[in-house]
């Protein structure tokens, strides 16, 4: 039985604790939130204990693993605290808020062996199938990719940490780090980034966040990507991968494999719940004492990709990846 403590009793804390409760080979060890009221409410809902401080989790021999689901700006401090304990960690994405933090976490003891990052889109059969087609040559050489994600029911206001670019990194770091992780998994790192963005323009009455950018790869492949949090309209989350043999189109509902004159709808089997699959995989990793499949390097390079796009949008210049 893998015993899991949850840090942060907000949206993701509720999601992850509910999933842990469902799994036969995991149990909730307890909840910690900076707000004692929030921890008490979630702990009562699940009939588990409340930790009064993160140090209590570290000291508790009944905890095998910790799920960090508190705000992004506080991930670094928590990772520095929990990693030396040797307990497994599933950290919600993005791994950290700042470049120096990303570099430091990469060097932390246990980061390479005990840290998993919550890039749950990697559990979706549609994205997995595209990876298979890239690896087995079905798509051929990829020349261009288009990716876009718009959340059209954005309700945040200025007093919310999600609407503070300094705290959350806005749509490029917060939302698109999922997409950058997918791109890095598929293609490795780009050479160059350029972008433009609204990035929480303070004079606007309500926060509106938008970024649009391009990445260029060593082989000349171009990725165009856009991300936005808007208050109306129709949301989307899609990827189009154009190879010289075939094109893959995936929009979360449907995966198409397109060859000249023929668009084939691909059967993705029974729908899966990505957060549940992610937690099952994490629990299996902890039980086996294995290295997480999606770990610190994924978190680091997704961060670097987002950071380059943000820097380009801020400076109006192309940003080149040197290492
Ligand atoms: N994987 C995904 O699809 C996904 C979706 C949403 C959010 N996230 C990420 O999950 C994290 C949490 O987001 P959320 O939407 O649950 O936030 P939230 O604001 O709903 O909840 C955060 C909770 O953390 C608590 N908290 C604040 N500082 C803390 C600290 N230092 N220690 C302990 N608790 C603290 C708050 O009191 C609050 O209860 C963020 O990093 C976010 O980017 C991931």
């Amino acid at each position: 039985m893998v015993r899991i403590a949850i840090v942060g009793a907000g949206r993701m804390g509720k999601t992850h604790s509910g999933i842990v409760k469902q799994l036969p080979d995991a149990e909730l060890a307890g909840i910690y939130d900076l707000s004692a009221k929030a921890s008490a409410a979630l702990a009562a809902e699940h009939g588990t204990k409340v930790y009064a401080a993160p140090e209590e989790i570290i000291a508790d021999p009944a905890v095998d693993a910790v799920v960090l689901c508190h705000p992004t700006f506080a991930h670094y401090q928590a990772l520095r605290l929990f990693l030396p304990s040797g307990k497994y960690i599933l950290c919600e994405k993005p791994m950290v808020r700042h470049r120096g933090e990303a570099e430091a976490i990469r060097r932390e003891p246990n980061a390479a062996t005990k840290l998993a990052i919550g890039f749950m889109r990697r559990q979706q059969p549609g994205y997995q199938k595209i990876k298979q087609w890239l690896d087995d040559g079905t798509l051929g050489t990829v020349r261009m990719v288009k990716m876009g994600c718009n959340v059209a029911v954005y309700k945040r206001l200025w007093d919310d940490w999600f609407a503070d670019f300094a705290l959350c990194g806005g749509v490029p770091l917060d939302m698109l780090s999922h997409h950058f992780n997918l791109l890095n998994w598929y293609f490795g790192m780009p050479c160059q980034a350029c972008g433009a963005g609204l990035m929480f323009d303070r004079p606007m009455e309500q926060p509106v966040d938008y970024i649009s950018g391009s990445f260029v790869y060593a082989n000349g492949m171009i990725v165009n990507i856009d991300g936005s949090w808007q208050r109306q309209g129709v949301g989307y989350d899609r990827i189009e991968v154009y190879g010289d043999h075939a094109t893959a189109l995936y929009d979360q509902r449907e995966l198409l494999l397109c060859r000249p004159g023929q668009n084939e709808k691909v059967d993705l089997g029974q729908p899966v719940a990505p957060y549940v699959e992610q937690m099952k995989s994490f629990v299996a990793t902890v039980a086996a004492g294995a290295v997480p499949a999606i770990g610190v390097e994924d978190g680091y390079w997704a961060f670097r990709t987002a950071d380059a796009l943000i820097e380009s949008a801020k400076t109006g210049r192309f940003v080149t990846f040197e290492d």
Side-chain angles (χ1 to χ4, degrees):
M1 188 61 72
V2 171
R3 295 156 304 178
I4 296 179
I6 303 281
V7 173
R11 277 193 312 165
M12 294 316 297
K14 287 173 187 150
T15 299
H16 290 311
S17 55
I19 292 169
V20 170
K21 285 280 283 187
Q22 286 173 29
L23 299 185
D25 43 3
E27 69 184 24
L28 271 182
I31 312 283
Y32 167 67
D33 193 291
L34 204 55
S35 151
K37 202 171 148 199
S39 346
L42 192 56
E45 187 183 325
H46 291 310
T48 189
K49 76 191 245 191
V50 168
Y51 292 102
E55 288 78 5
E56 284 186 10
I57 299 177
I58 293 170
D60 188 346
V63 175
D64 303 305
V66 185
V67 180
L68 298 180
C69 18
H70 58 333
T72 302
F73 61 85
H75 287 186
Y76 175 67
Q77 201 183 6
L79 286 169
R80 290 293 301 272
L81 194 65
F82 283 109
L83 277 170
S85 75
K87 294 184 194 296
Y88 274 87
I89 300 170
L90 170 60
C91 177
E92 260 306 342
K93 51 42 64 183
M95 185 171 79
V96 287
R97 173 64 190 89
H98 298 289
R99 169 90 181 259
E101 297 171 347
E103 306 285 354
I105 291 304
R106 212 177 172 207
R107 292 190 298 265
E108 273 291 303
N110 301 320
T113 52
K114 298 276 176 84
L115 175 58
I117 307 295
F119 290 123
M120 54 69 173
R121 276 171 175 69
R122 293 273 293 271
Q123 309 296 329
Q124 290 179 229
Y127 290 122
Q128 291 172 345
K129 195 75 187 168
I130 293 173
K131 171 70 173 157
Q132 184 196 316
W133 288 339
L134 289 165
D135 291 349
D136 69 15
T138 300
L139 300 182
T141 302
V142 176
R143 308 293 182 184
M144 56 182 262
V145 175
K146 297 187 207 171
M147 230 175 174
C149 179
N150 174 38
V151 178
V153 287
Y154 190 57
K155 295 193 175 78
R156 304 287 178 172
L157 296 172
W158 289 121
D159 58 0
D160 192 305
W161 73 269
F162 261 114
D164 186 336
F165 181 77
L167 298 181
C168 79
V171 79
L173 181 64
D174 186 79
M175 173 56 75
L176 293 186
S177 64
H178 282 297
H179 304 74
F180 298 145
N181 177 251
L182 289 165
L183 289 171
N184 296 344
W185 184 43
Y186 290 166
F187 305 110
M189 283 294 287
C191 300
Q192 224 176 36
C194 74
L198 294 174
M199 314 265 265
F200 290 135
D201 193 352
R202 281 273 170 182
M204 287 180 184
E205 199 180 315
Q206 294 183 322
V208 172
D209 193 1
Y210 173 65
I211 191 132
S212 162
S214 298
F215 297 103
V216 182
Y217 291 69
N219 67 356
M221 187 186 81
I222 300 169
V223 170
N224 278 315
I225 188 160
D226 69 83
S228 50
W229 285 333
Q230 303 296 332
R231 289 167 192 281
Q232 61 276 316
V234 179
Y236 54 80
D237 193 349
R238 60 182 175 239
I239 181 168
E240 304 173 8
V241 182
Y242 294 86
D244 53 11
H245 294 169
T247 292
L249 307 179
Y250 179 53
D251 67 358
Q252 307 283 320
R253 288 175 291 273
E254 197 170 76
L255 175 66
L256 294 179
L257 182 64
C258 308
R259 295 191 174 94
Q262 175 201 348
N263 294 347
E264 178 196 343
K265 186 175 165 186
V266 176
D267 182 7
L268 292 173
Q270 288 299 314
V272 302
Y275 293 114
V276 176
E277 294 308 309
Q278 173 176 265
M279 190 60 76
K280 281 185 189 165
S281 161
F282 180 63
V283 166
T285 299
V286 178
V291 173
I294 301 168
V296 66
E297 290 300 299
D298 293 85
Y300 176 78
W301 289 109
F303 178 88
R304 289 289 308 274
T305 314
D307 196 43
L309 197 56
I310 291 168
E311 191 187 329
S312 175
K314 279 182 171 169
T315 61
R317 299 208 171 112
F318 278 90
V319 172
T320 304
F321 294 88
E322 285 127 19
D323 50 321

